[in-house]
Amino acid sequence: MNSIQILEKLISFDTVSSNSNLELLSFCEKLLKDASAEITLIKNKEGTKGNLFATIGPSDKPGIILSGHTDVVPVKEQTWATNPFKLTEKNNKLYGRGTADMKSFIACALHTAIKGSSMTLTTPLHFAFSYDEEIGCVGVRSLIDMLKEAPFNPLFCIIGEPTSMQVAAGHKGKVNASVKIKGKEAHSALAPNGLNSIYLATNLINEIQNIQSNIMNNSQHDEDYEVPYTTLQVGKIEGGVAVNIVPSSSSFLFEIRNLFDDDPELILQKLKNKANDIVKSHISKFPDTQIEIKTINQYPSLNTSKNAGVINFIKSLTGNNSVGKVSFGTEGGIFSKELDLETAICGPGSMEQGHKPDEYIEKSQINLCDQMLDNLLEKLRFGI
């Protein structure tokens, strides 16, 4: 099977994050077993999803990790011209959910395993396929915990997220957080007798906007990013029952996407201090007033030096000399922080097509990825 034939099979598995990825992993496991790989499957507590870690080549020395996530974003409420879970070719473009983000890289990696099985590698090649990346890089953590106990720390990690085969040295960190607010219910005709929780929510959201404005105007920038500063954003808000009832409860979700040198915990503390001030201003009249801020999940930023060994290594594989950073997050920050592992991002396709209806990848991008991984195999044959 070539990379496109493997991709066709991968796209047929509906691995939206709410679904299991085990059927897809079973397919990957068979291909890797046929390539004489050593395979470890790490399931979640429910036994419904898993990470797959595999190695070809010697197991007594450090190797190179090819890392990718198997889950995809939903297609619900999107209008597609083709079946999102059936690979469709039109004008040298391959359509389907996950073609860009990021099953094409996994397909190329699996094809590389097949080709590598007929070679004698002096440096091992590892494959790390994870779950639930799309909901906050959740699943990969158990795989990384396993690697912490491994006898050898890998040399480099290549995250195959779509970068149009350009090398990316970094991405921002992310914090997802929830806010729950308790006020006091009342008839709207007697509104001053209640405490409108939606008003409290907007007071705190106003503080989020103030912090964002201050960061944008006064904090450090990193011009390698399209948005060169740390951002805060409220993405969902709920509250109220009817227009004639003062709402006693409300809630909203917000995120922080931070530069490497900006500590998101300091931003969270500022918001918690503001929340405490809001509560204190009402608690004498409304003693049950509450504002609760909780972190749902988070992952760290990636900030690999542009002169790092992994950057030069990938450049030697692709022939491209430019190095940038990506706006979206990856598991790369976790690999880098938790394993002290030199990590960079390089993969086929563009995130401009990711998460959208009629997601696609150009066939030329798959060819470029195959070429990069062929060059990788040559290096692994003769040693790094």
Side-chain angles (χ1 to χ4, degrees), residues 6 25 31-32 48 85 101 103 132 178 194 256 274 347 366:
I6 295 171
L25 289 187
L31 287 184
L32 289 164
T48 57
F85 298 108
D101 183 21
K103 289 181 176 179
D132 282 359
S178 66
I256 303 169
K274 179 63 176 180
I366 293 178

Side-chain angles (χ1 to χ4, degrees), residues 337-361:
K337 181 178 180 181
E338 297 296 325
L339 297 176
D340 192 25
L341 175 60
E342 285 195 20
T343 302
I345 309 158
C346 185
S350 169
M351 198 58 84
E352 286 294 319
Q353 280 76 55
H355 295 206
K356 296 178 180 178
D358 297 331
E359 179 181 351
Y360 71 86
I361 188 169

Side-chain angles (χ1 to χ4, degrees), residues 124-138:
L125 180 59
H126 308 293
F127 305 86
F129 302 151
S130 60
Y131 69 94
D132 282 359
E133 188 272 350
E134 294 290 4
I135 60 174
C137 296
V138 174

